[in-house]
Amino acid sequence: MLTSRDYLTIDDFDVDGKTILVRVDLNTPMDMEGNILDDMRIKSHIPTIKDLDDAKVVLMAHQSRAGKKDFTTMKPHAQRMSQYLGKEVEYIDDIFGTYARSSISSMEKGDVILLENVRFYSEESIERPASDHAATHMVRKLSPLIDIFLNDAFAVSHRSHLSIMGFTEILPTGAGRVMEKEISSLDRGIKGSGRPCIFVLGGAKVDDSLKVAKNVLINGGADRVLVTGVVANVMLAAAGVDIGKVNLDFIESQGYTDQIARAKQVLDKFDGKIGYPLDVAFNDGGKRVEVLVSELPDGNLPINDIGLETIVAFSEEIKNAKTVVLNGPAGLSEVEPFALGTHEIIKAAINSEYSIAGGGHISAEIRNLGYENDFSHLSTGGGACIDYLAGDALPGIEALKTAAIRYRLNR
């Protein structure tokens, strides 16, 4: 029975004995020796693969990108995934050549193989429509051997790349468990299912955060947006606060000077809905110095965290919220004296009924603190997560919806 949602999932297909191509995201931090430093994304796909136990599973993934030192093969990923699955995930040193195709053809029910780094193929990272991708050699060579395509790579679905888009044009297509969970969890955040719903936006991606703030306040998904990090510095400048030359220079160096005027528009439009810091923590030669925003000195010290009064006020709002969405750290969280704001906001968020954390730095901090299991959802995607929260259409998800329409029409 087909589900009523606008995309298909594993549950919509008979996968028994079928050959399933699954685009996963196994992109992981690696050291200079090629050792995996964080396998969170590898672990995240285990439920999808286990739900395909009766199928022949062909995994396709990438590691880093050309020119980077960790642009390497998928062999370590296959080995790590084998440990978590409790059975061999065979690494195939090929993407769509004779060796890859013969390996797929000779698979038996229950087998799992991982193809070579798909970004070794130069056409993978070209952004273009699904119809153009469908005409590539990779899709034409592999698709005759595949029964169903599943996109489980939410974290790269904001890119219209070949392995995300091409197979959706010609194969029955659905979402894997990671993709399914990301969509349902982030939708709950955007729609503010539990009230009050609070978004806490930090980090340095000011333009993205302002987009998210505007989207969730316009559509009524959030009751309040609290800002920290560089986002807060821009908001303070927009509110007429003199944050000091060193902080304005940093904003300029990141290309965000024009965002101050944009932030003022958001503040004016949503008066009372935006919470910005009451006090800040300066970095004075590595020492944490807290000052009220109303009493900022004429000095030229960098703001590296929110202050204690802000931490207490924000934490109280967060604890009393039914839904909390965190995206981006509150300060320079990798430097101990300035990790306080980020850590306390994380601790406050686990008291809410439903807590979501965007990908990237905030998720890493949550795992470092050991609170991974206390959050309702930790997104696997950084850029994809913030684009989704900002209301942008993700090409990979739009391709899933188009494929679902085509599949239902042909039934």
Side-chain angles (χ1 to χ4, degrees), residues 246-257:
V246 68
N247 297 300
L248 287 172
D249 285 348
F250 180 79
I251 289 168
E252 183 180 5
S253 73
Q254 300 301 300
Y256 290 140
T257 302

Side-chain angles (χ1 to χ4, degrees), residues 19-250:
T19 303
I20 318 286
L21 176 63
V22 189
R23 177 44 161 112
V24 291
D25 182 12
L26 307 183
N27 191 29
T28 62
M30 301 182 79
D31 64 19
M32 298 298 289
E33 284 73 47
N35 299 306
I36 291 170
L37 300 175
D38 181 352
D39 61 10
M40 178 271 293
R41 282 181 171 165
I42 294 174
K43 281 194 287 187
S44 72
H45 292 289
I46 299 303
T48 298
I49 299 168
K50 285 192 171 178
D51 280 354
L52 299 172
D53 249 354
D54 295 327
K56 306 167 190 176
V57 179
V58 181
L59 302 175
M60 179 174 279
H62 75 278
Q63 170 62 39
S64 192
R65 63 179 184 269
K68 294 281 189 175
K69 290 180 180 176
D70 58 349
F71 186 51
T72 184
T73 75
M74 304 308 298
K75 187 174 183 178
H77 308 70
Q79 293 169 342
R80 185 65 60 91
M81 187 166 273
S82 298
Q83 294 171 16
Y84 285 122
L85 273 179
K87 67 178 181 181
E88 183 187 9
V89 175
E90 186 183 358
Y91 161 66
I92 305 298
D93 182 18
D94 190 17
I95 303 171
F96 59 90
T98 304
Y99 177 42
R101 299 199 310 275
S102 64
S103 297
I104 294 170
S105 297
S106 62
M107 289 177 75
E108 296 182 359
K109 191 170 166 178
D111 285 352
V112 182
I113 66 172
L114 173 59
L115 300 177
E116 185 54 282
N117 188 339
V118 71
R119 287 187 178 171
F120 284 3
Y121 180 47
S122 60
E123 289 194 57
E124 161 63 12
S125 300
I126 299 172
E127 300 217 13
R128 53 189 176 188
S131 56
D132 289 351
H133 283 313
T136 59
H137 290 297
M138 186 171 87
V139 174
R140 285 161 53 198
K141 292 282 189 180
L142 289 182
S143 56
L145 306 172
I146 307 297
D147 297 305
I148 298 164
F149 172 69
L150 297 178
N151 182 1
D152 210 28
F154 172 80
V156 282
S157 286
H158 59 317
R159 310 288 188 202
S160 55
H161 285 178
L162 170 52
S163 62
I164 297 293
M165 310 290 288
F167 296 98
T168 67
E169 285 283 296
I170 52 181
L171 290 173
T173 296
R177 298 305 186 203
V178 171
M179 178 69 81
E180 188 181 355
K181 187 172 188 287
E182 289 279 4
I183 294 172
S184 61
S185 299
L186 295 179
D187 277 351
R188 180 165 177 174
I190 293 169
K191 293 168 184 172
S193 301
R195 298 289 184 170
C197 174
I198 290 180
F199 274 61
V200 187
L201 304 177
K205 293 182 178 178
V206 179
D207 51 348
D208 288 337
S209 292
L210 289 178
K211 241 167 95 176
V212 172
K214 192 174 177 183
N215 178 52
V216 296
L217 289 171
I218 283 176
N219 69 25
D223 297 288
R224 284 266 286 169
V225 172
L226 309 179
V227 293
T228 64
V230 182
V231 184
N233 292 350
V234 168
M235 282 288 189
L236 288 171
V241 176
D242 183 1
I243 60 173
K245 185 176 183 301
V246 68
N247 297 300
L248 287 172
D249 285 348
F250 180 79

